Every structure is written in structure tokens, then in C-alpha cells.
Amino acid sequence: MEMVQGRFENFVSGIGRVIIQNINGLGSIFKFMLSFFYWAVRPPIRPRLLFEQLEFIGNKSIFIITLAGSFTGMVMAYQTYFGFQLINVDSLVGPVTAISLARELAPVLTGLIVAGRAGAAMAAQIGTMKVTEQVDALEVMGINSVQYLAVPRIIAGTLSVPMLSVFFLFIGNVGSYFVGTKALAIDEAIYLSKLGDFMFLTDIWQGVIKAFFFGFVVSVIGTYFGFSVTKGAEGVGKGTNLAVVWGMISVLVLDYFLTSFLVQVL
Amino acid sequence: MLHFENSAVEIKNLTKVFGEHTVLNNLNFDIPKGKITTILGFSGAGKSTLLKHILGLHKPTSGQINVLDRDLSKMSEVDLREFRQKFGMLFQYAALFDSMTAKQNVEFPLKEFTSMTPEEVNNRAETLLESVGLEEFSHNKLPSELSGGMRKRVGLARALALSPDIMLYDEPTTGLDPITTKMVNDLIVETGEIHKEQQMSSIIISHDVQATLKISDYVAFLNRGNIVEYLPASEFAKSEHPLVQEFINL
Ligand SMILES: Nc1ncnc2c1ncn2[C@@H]1O[C@H](COP(=O)(O)OP(=O)(O)OP(=O)(O)O)[C@@H](O)[C@H]1O
Ligand SMILES: [Mg+2]
């Protein structure tokens, strides 16, 4: 009996510990976010670093976004078609695919891809700089490491994800159009006219606004876990891993809350 | 305990507590201008913590730190950042920015903090690299393509770029082979000599007793957050402090 009770207490205190650790973690991410805002608006501004990050996070993601977008659009067209033809509304494949892409798939998948690619790279780069004392070297020179390393990455991430998401949306629709009109033989004129009838600018806006927040959160998390690395190569691996996992989870959780808010205001 | 008329760093009653752990305990320490002073001590004694206080990267729990006659506690964050340009620091593994070439590393502080033209920056960086003995064909190599000793040279050139008043060396020879160790020690002495007129002060953190006694002017022994022995290097080996004897004879 005592043993069972002991185990139960261990279990409860274990849960308590995990909760407290996560609350502490949230607190320090929040503090980190505040220091980002503090340093983002202070001189000197280093445009070259921002462009380097835009190039890396934005430009260098285009290939993978093209792949992901086109296949997502294509598969969505198929899935929608097989449902819709049962009730003879297969002409609506275009707008349904487009709306799902605009509101959900483009921003969420782009967010997830950037979390995996750029979020991981941010954590790995900053983490490596941390353990090799490059971050200390900056600080000793009087350069704030958050301003130098985190600010350009977070701004670039916040700007890149919405742009990539719009690109994803466009490519996805191209994929859907080809599958819909060529493989599934929906009439081209009907496809396009229905698209125009049912798809609105608010659908696109909703996705863009979400993508903006996803970009911000994924980059904050990526840079935060980079700075939180303390020990050795193993620490860098762990930080990178945490950045990807929490970046992706945040996108999914945030998506729910943003959606429930945006459907009311837009 | 030694005191100096002309000190680069004056520390009075410095205490630093991390959580419940007192790392520096009412420490008093004077570091002279224009000399090489080494801080020895066992791992965990608080050497790096002390260094970070001198740099103003850590705030004391209590006590006062004057660097070059300025009270760090009275300086704003902005002043402190600017003030750090008076320091140069050579890190244990050089801490070169690994995305930049050797020369770009040296140019970095010049570009950030001076209004030199690109050509002046380039010339100054080349002069600095030559002065620490890095051959020209290595100037455009990335840190990953340089040996440990060469990286140290570049790190030293970068630290010297803004003509610091105080040079800090964190375990400059730990983990180096004997020949490179000698080279780095020679570089430290040479650097001190070259900047003698300017009264550059060098502060070294080290584990290497033999080299320390050879190259330093003064040696301090830090134990459990306190300076327990502080002597001219020539007298240090004769210290009667049991911990110092234990450390020397390790
Ligand atoms: N930021 C910090 N937060 C909490 N404790 C710290 C912090 N920095 C250092 N300490 C603790 O202070 C003590 C002294 O650390 P410090 O790094 O100054 O020692 P050191 O003399 O440089 O040792 P080493 O030779 O191993 O580098 C250690 O017990 C360390 O755990
Ligand atoms: Mg140390």
C-alpha cells in the first residue's frame, strides 16, 4: 500500500515538475521575445544581415515549397473530387481546393516546412556559436547578440513565411487545376468560373495573417533554443531538436486559436 | 595583498551569488596597469565569473569594480557596451566567427566600430595579421581550414584590432601542444611589449603554472571566490599557502 502511494506521489510530483518546467520555459521565451522587440527598434540596423536571412529562409525555401505546394494541390483535387462526384458537385473542386489551401494548408504547411528547415538551422547556427564562445565574443566586443543574431532571423522569418505561403497557394492551385481539368476532366471554363464565384480575398487574407504569426513564432522558437544551448555538440543537437518540435507544435496550436479568432473578425 | 598606485582594475568587496551559490566572496583585487597579471585557480574557483565582472557582463551582488578609473556600476548599459571596446579578449578556442575568413574576422570590429574606409580597414587587418605572424596565404582561409595555433593568432589579431587598453586571455594554452603553447606564450609577452608605451595591461586566466611564472609579472591565486595569494611572479613559487603549494606541485 505504501509503495503504491509512494509511486502515486512520484507520479503526481513528476507531472507537477513537467508543468512547472514548461511554465518556466514559457516565461523565458516570453522574456526573450520582449528583448527581441527591445533590440529590433534600436540602432544600428544591419540590412545586410537581414538580406542574408531573407535569402536563406525565403529564397532557398522556394524549391521545397514548390514541391510541397504542387503535390498538396494535386492530391487535394483528387480527394475532393472523389467525395464531390458522388453528389454531382465536382465542378466545385476548384474553389474548395483553393479555399482549403488559402485558409489552412498553405500557411500551416509552409509554417511546418520553415520550422523544420529554417527553425532548425537557426537553432543549430546560434547554438554552435554559443558553445564555441562566438556569442561571448560578440558580447565582449559590445555587440548585443540578440540584436546581431536573433533580430535579423526573426524579422526575415516573419516576412518570409507569408510570402512563401502565398507562393504555396499559387502553386497548389496550379497543381489542382491540372489534376482537375486534365486527369479528372472537369471543364476548364467551369473550373475557373466557379473559382471566381466562391473564392474571396478574405480567404487569402486569413492565410496570410496566420502565416505572418507562424513565421514569427517559428523564428522566435528557433533562435530561443539556439541561445539556450549550453553544452557541447550534444547540446546543439538537443536545441535543434527542441526548436523543430516546439516550432511545429506551436504552428498547429496557434492555428486553432488564430482561426477561431479570424473567422469572427474577417 | 598587493596594491598599486596605477591600477587598471580595482575590485572592492566583490560578492556574487548565483541562486544560493556564493561564487565570489567579498573579493578584493588590484590589477596593475601595463603589466601581465595571471589568475590561477582550481576549476570552479570562479575565474571566468571574475573575468565577466571585469568586462561588465555580470553585475555584482555587492561590491565595487573600477576599470580604468571608472565605476562600472555607475555606467548605463549603452556606456558599458561602448566601454568594452577598451577590452580585447582571446578566447580559449579563439571563438572566431566561423562564417568569416581570417581577415574578415579581424576586419569585423573595425567595420563595426570605426569610420575607416574599406581600404583602411583592409590594410589595418593585414598589418594586424602580419604582426601576429599569420602568413599571407592564410588570410582568406576560413577558421575551419586553420590549425589551432593559427586560429589563436587570428583571435589575437582580432582582439588587438581596436588597440585595447586591457587584454584578457582565457586559458590561452589549455589543450595546445607544447610547441604551440610556447608560441602563444611568446605572443602574449610580445603583445605586452609592443603595447608597453600605451600601458596595455594583460590579464590571463590559466592552469599552466610553469608558463605563468615565466611570462607574468604578478600571479594571483583564486580559491572559492577569494584571492588567497597574490605575489610578484618571482616570489610566487615560494608561497607558503598550502593550496598554492598543492596547485604548483600537481
Ligand atoms: N551563470 C551562472 N549561473 C549559476 N552558476 C554559475 C554561473 N556561472 C558560473 N556559475 C558557477 O560558479 C562557479 C564558478 O564558475 P567559473 O566558471 O567562474 O569557474 P572557473 O574558475 O572559471 O572554472 P574553470 O576552470 O572550470 O573554467 C561554478 O560552480 C559554476 O557552476
Ligand atoms: Mg572558466
Side-chain angles (χ1 to χ4, degrees):
Chain A
M1 184 60 209
E2 244 170 52
M3 222 178 94
V4 173
Q5 199 182 351
R7 272 195 205 158
F8 181 69
E9 277 168 12
N10 276 345
F11 177 68
V12 171
S13 69
I15 291 182
R17 201 168 40 243
V18 169
I19 291 175
I20 289 171
Q21 275 168 0
N22 280 315
I23 289 177
N24 283 341
L26 260 177
S28 44
I29 289 195
F30 194 71
K31 261 209 263 174
F32 176 74
M33 224 166 75
L34 291 183
S35 75
F36 159 75
F37 285 117
Y38 179 88
W39 286 107
V41 295
R42 240 143 275 255
I45 292 169
R46 299 181 174 86
R48 198 180 49 83
L49 294 181
L50 179 61
F51 286 121
E52 272 174 26
Q53 291 303 321
L54 281 171
E55 155 78 13
F56 175 72
I57 304 168
N59 222 2
K60 294 228 166 107
S61 297
I62 284 180
F63 176 69
I64 186 166
I65 293 287
T66 306
L67 268 182
S70 55
F71 279 94
T72 305
M74 279 152 58
V75 84
M76 279 300 291
Y78 259 114
Q79 294 285 26
T80 320
Y81 178 81
F82 283 114
F84 278 24
Q85 51 133 248
L86 297 175
I87 47 171
N88 281 328
V89 285
D90 43 320
S91 61
L92 293 180
V93 163
V96 167
T97 310
I99 290 171
S100 340
L101 280 168
R103 291 179 161 229
E104 283 300 325
L105 292 168
V108 169
L109 291 178
T110 305
L112 294 177
I113 289 169
V114 171
R117 198 183 154 269
M122 290 177 195
Q125 288 160 353
I126 297 177
T128 304
M129 292 187 70
K130 188 90 191 293
V131 297
T132 54
E133 297 190 305
Q134 294 175 54
V135 172
D136 290 331
L138 283 173
E139 293 287 343
V140 167
M141 287 179 195
I143 295 171
N144 182 277
S145 53
V146 170
Q147 188 179 34
Y148 193 83
L149 297 170
V151 167
R153 284 173 171 79
I154 294 173
I155 293 178
T158 311
L159 296 177
S160 294
V161 175
M163 292 194 277
L164 289 170
S165 171
V166 168
F167 182 67
F168 188 113
L169 171 64
F170 174 74
I171 296 287
N173 275 307
V174 172
S176 164
Y177 176 80
F178 271 102
V179 167
T181 58
K182 304 288 182 261
L184 304 171
I186 302 169
D187 183 79
E188 289 168 15
I190 291 179
Y191 186 104
L192 291 175
S193 80
K194 292 288 179 194
L195 194 61
D197 289 348
F198 290 103
M199 167 117 182
F200 299 105
L201 211 54
T202 50
D203 297 317
I204 297 178
W205 268 119
Q206 211 186 96
V208 169
I209 293 171
K210 291 204 285 194
F212 181 83
F213 283 98
F214 295 162
F216 177 72
V217 164
V218 160
S219 339
V220 166
I221 288 177
T223 48
Y224 170 80
F225 279 110
F227 279 110
S228 69
V229 169
T230 48
K231 282 183 231 106
E234 200 187 324
V236 176
K238 220 171 106 190
T240 308
N241 195 9
L242 286 169
V244 174
V245 170
W246 286 110
M248 288 183 168
I249 288 177
S250 310
V251 166
L252 297 173
V253 172
L254 197 61
D255 184 42
Y256 172 79
F257 290 105
L258 284 172
T259 305
S260 63
F261 175 72
L262 288 172
V263 291
Q264 285 170 29
V265 297
L266 279 186
Chain B
M1 198 62 58
L2 291 168
H3 288 285
F4 301 91
E5 285 284 297
N6 204 358
S7 50
V9 179
E10 273 175 288
I11 297 173
K12 288 180 205 139
N13 305 323
L14 170 61
T15 296
K16 178 67 177 184
V17 183
F18 284 119
E20 293 171 356
H21 186 175
T22 304
V23 178
L24 300 175
N25 190 2
N26 202 20
L27 178 146
N28 288 287
F29 192 24
D30 245 19
I31 301 175
K33 249 187 206 159
K35 304 280 181 200
I36 299 179
T37 304
T38 300
I39 303 166
L40 293 174
F42 292 105
S43 190
K47 301 182 296 290
S48 300
T49 307
L50 177 58
L51 207 63
K52 286 186 178 149
H53 277 85
I54 295 174
L55 284 162
L57 292 171
H58 279 335
K59 296 249 172 299
T61 307
S62 65
Q64 193 184 340
I65 304 166
N66 292 346
V67 179
L68 304 170
D69 297 321
R70 293 195 56 184
D71 182 347
L72 294 190
S73 67
K74 297 223 166 73
M75 290 167 77
S76 69
E77 191 62 31
V78 177
D79 289 344
L80 262 179
R81 287 191 178 279
E82 214 179 288
F83 189 66
R84 279 198 208 116
Q85 289 163 35
K86 298 196 181 301
F87 292 101
M89 177 149 177
L90 179 58
F91 289 86
Q92 183 168 354
Y93 300 102
L96 299 180
F97 301 122
D98 48 24
S99 56
M100 302 180 193
T101 65
K103 194 159 90 188
Q104 286 168 340
N105 263 281
V106 181
E107 287 174 345
F108 181 78
L110 299 170
K111 283 184 185 160
E112 283 286 329
F113 297 111
T114 70
S115 47
M116 292 173 152
T117 65
E119 202 190 322
E120 288 168 334
V121 166
N122 178 61
N123 292 342
R124 170 98 174 117
E126 280 177 359
T127 313
L128 281 160
L129 283 170
E130 273 156 33
S131 77
V132 296
L134 193 80
E135 308 85 342
E136 181 138 20
F137 68 88
S138 298
H139 288 194
N140 293 319
K141 283 187 180 161
L142 288 169
S144 56
E145 300 163 327
L146 299 172
S147 71
M150 280 148 93
R151 268 181 243 163
K152 285 257 156 134
R153 291 177 196 263
V154 179
L156 184 58
R158 184 179 70 182
L160 292 170
L162 298 175
S163 305
D165 294 306
I166 300 179
M167 261 304 296
L168 304 165
Y169 299 89
D170 190 4
E171 311 203 3
T173 57
T174 305
L176 295 181
D177 62 80
I179 292 174
T180 317
T181 297
K182 180 164 181 342
M183 176 216 99
V184 171
N185 282 327
D186 291 347
L187 269 179
I188 293 174
V189 175
E190 248 173 62
T191 303
E193 292 293 325
I194 293 172
H195 298 81
K196 199 121 222 164
E197 265 165 58
Q198 171 204 337
Q199 290 251 51
M200 189 175 83
S201 320
S202 308
I203 304 173
I204 307 175
I205 286 184
S206 176
H207 286 130
D208 181 350
V209 182
Q210 296 319 316
T212 295
L213 297 182
K214 253 183 256 163
I215 69 173
S216 318
D217 298 304
Y218 297 96
V219 183
F221 189 80
L222 184 68
N223 189 53
R224 295 199 178 187
N226 233 313
I227 304 283
V228 297
E229 189 68 289
Y230 189 18
L231 293 167
S234 54
E235 296 166 32
F236 191 77
K238 294 173 226 142
S239 162
E240 279 166 12
H241 199 288
L243 279 173
V244 173
Q245 282 305 327
E246 188 188 332
F247 193 84
I248 290 179
N249 296 320
L250 275 182

